[in-house]
Amino acid sequence: MNKRSHSIAFWAAVAVFLVAVLSMTQIVRNEYPFFAGYVILQFIALAVAWSILGGYAGYVNFGTNAFFGVGVYTAVALFKATGAPLVVQIAAAAVVGMTLGFGVGLLTLRMRGIFFSIATIALAIIIETFVMNWRFVGGAAGIQIQRPPVMAPFDSYVKMLFFVQAVLAVIAVAIARYIQNSRIGRGLQALRDDELAAECTGVPTLRLKLVACMTSGALISAAGAPAAMYLQYADPSSAFNLSYSVSALAMALIGGTAHWIGPVLGAILLGSTQQLLAVTISSEVNVLVLGIMLVLFVVGAPKGIIGLLRPRYRLRAGGKP
Amino acid sequence: MDLLLGAVVLGVLLGCFYAAVSVGLSVAFGLLDVPHVAHPAFLVLASYGVFQLNESYDIDPLLAGLAITPLFFLFGLLAYRVYYETFERRGSDAGVRGIAFFFGIAFIIEVLIILQFGVDQRSVSATYIGKSWRFGEFRIPIRQLVAFAVALALTVLLAMYLSKTFMGRAIRAVAQDEEALRLMGANPVRIKQFAFGIATAVLGIAGALLIIVAPVEPTLDRAYIGRTFCVVVMAGLGSISGTLIAAIILGVAESIVLTLFGASWAPAISFAMLLGVLAVRPQGLLGR
């Protein structure tokens, strides 16, 4: 198939997905599927956003929680100060996330490998420390959030958040897909394979890395923005929880980072496993499963699930199915 | 002024303790180039081992630390073997996956500790814990002095081992030029594995010091990622004497900020210093 028919197929699938999500919110009565589904959609957005920098460019970001927490607290601060609606909160979180991505990029993207990774952990802890000392949003104790009345056509706030997160996940996937197939994606892959060689052949490596860092940051923060409304509560140690970093990284690597579908598969598989385990066993055990899966896949299946599927479905080197 | 002087004195004691917890990483990351993010997780694991021995058999924490040292040595041998076989030997893409590997290991250790011991803080009992000495106006907890003395001894011993013994020199040689060593008939992988074992074994004692200085909790390793990497990077990769100096600088900085601004800022200090060092002098710090 050529590029255009791929695009048509992709957008048709997106339309079908969103219509399905919307009609599900109108038909299904029980709220639990929406609670669980929200989390899985959030992980899809996080894993896909992580892989733009971590997968395409090979910069292992441990600071997903920094961007996520910044998204949460941008929304909280804005809501507390002005009572802004959800859409405005998300947009503001994306802008702040993008700005933070730019700053992080400038500061750290000249570092490579482990230095970059440690620097992103550093960033998360420094920002968390500032939020803990920030009285307006409740400091270390956290803050209670009163949900505003729900908007039509939804009859419950959780259903609305489920739809909103579905839209965010779709946006993240569409952007990741666009980047992968564009010059930016090819440039990122070139610098991932050999940064010096890419630089020498005229790839504007620093600019590309900045673009990747800003896009990834904006998407992660946007995905985090509705979290306070979802939980009706926000506190620094859960908003900046390291498990968001592990989840995003693990889901992307387990799914495979050569193609945008990898993180989506990883997030769906692990996210739904976790939802099941959290209900049936305990939340500690599901984090343990995540960690063990990450280590097993990194050791045994370096290209992730799509790497395992590749021989059968003949994914080409360009990454198109 | 006296307050500040007291902070400096305590900072120096704290700094020597930081040297002891970082010196293993200085070998593993500084000399062997292994992106060992799980080092602080192994450290906290050692503390829980010491806690268990102290709790069940009433063994002195330092002796308990010594007792688990051989176990940690084997642990280190095993970890390096897995790392080498899966990442270094295959070469391609080792960076991304190697870092993710150790990150995953650190996380697994954290959760296993939570499942076994719960999330509460744990501490040990010994005759020297809880008392303090007065020097004029200062009060110095004896636990800090014990940790200081043992940490200093540990760091100096390791530095001497690396510079004076045959094996120690082989370890430094393998860090400098692996190929030359191979041509001389030595097995560089064996040497590196042994060095990684030593780097992990040191954590037995360091873990004992960690739980002697203050109570531990399962997620304490996160704060020590900043502290240990800050020390190792500031020291200049692989320099043991540099490790001691850098650790004392960090200890004093933390102690002063703690005195002036309070404990809520403490976790950020080492990370801020690390970022500062990386941002100001990346060229001197990236590779040899």
Side-chain angles (χ1 to χ4, degrees), chain A residues 229-300:
Chain A
M229 288 292 173
Y230 174 76
L231 298 168
Q232 304 188 55
Y233 181 72
D235 73 293
S237 49
S238 27
F240 289 90
N241 199 319
L242 195 69
S243 68
Y244 289 114
S245 301
V246 188
S247 303
L249 180 157
M251 286 165 181
L253 289 181
I254 289 168
T257 53
H259 188 282
W260 58 264
I261 197 81
V264 176
L265 288 177
I268 293 173
L269 182 76
L270 279 171
S272 37
T273 315
Q274 283 195 305
Q275 287 301 306
L276 275 175
L277 287 178
V279 178
T280 51
I281 309 177
S282 78
S283 58
E284 268 82 35
V285 171
N286 76 45
V287 182
L288 183 65
V289 168
L290 189 76
I292 291 175
M293 293 274 285
L294 169 65
V295 170
L296 286 183
F297 265 85
V298 158
V299 170

Side-chain angles (χ1 to χ4, degrees), chain B residues 19 23 149-163 240 244:
Chain B
V23 77
V150 176
L152 198 60
L154 186 69
T155 313
V156 170
L157 277 178
L158 192 67
M160 279 169 64
Y161 175 78
L162 287 174
S163 62
I240 305 291
L244 193 58

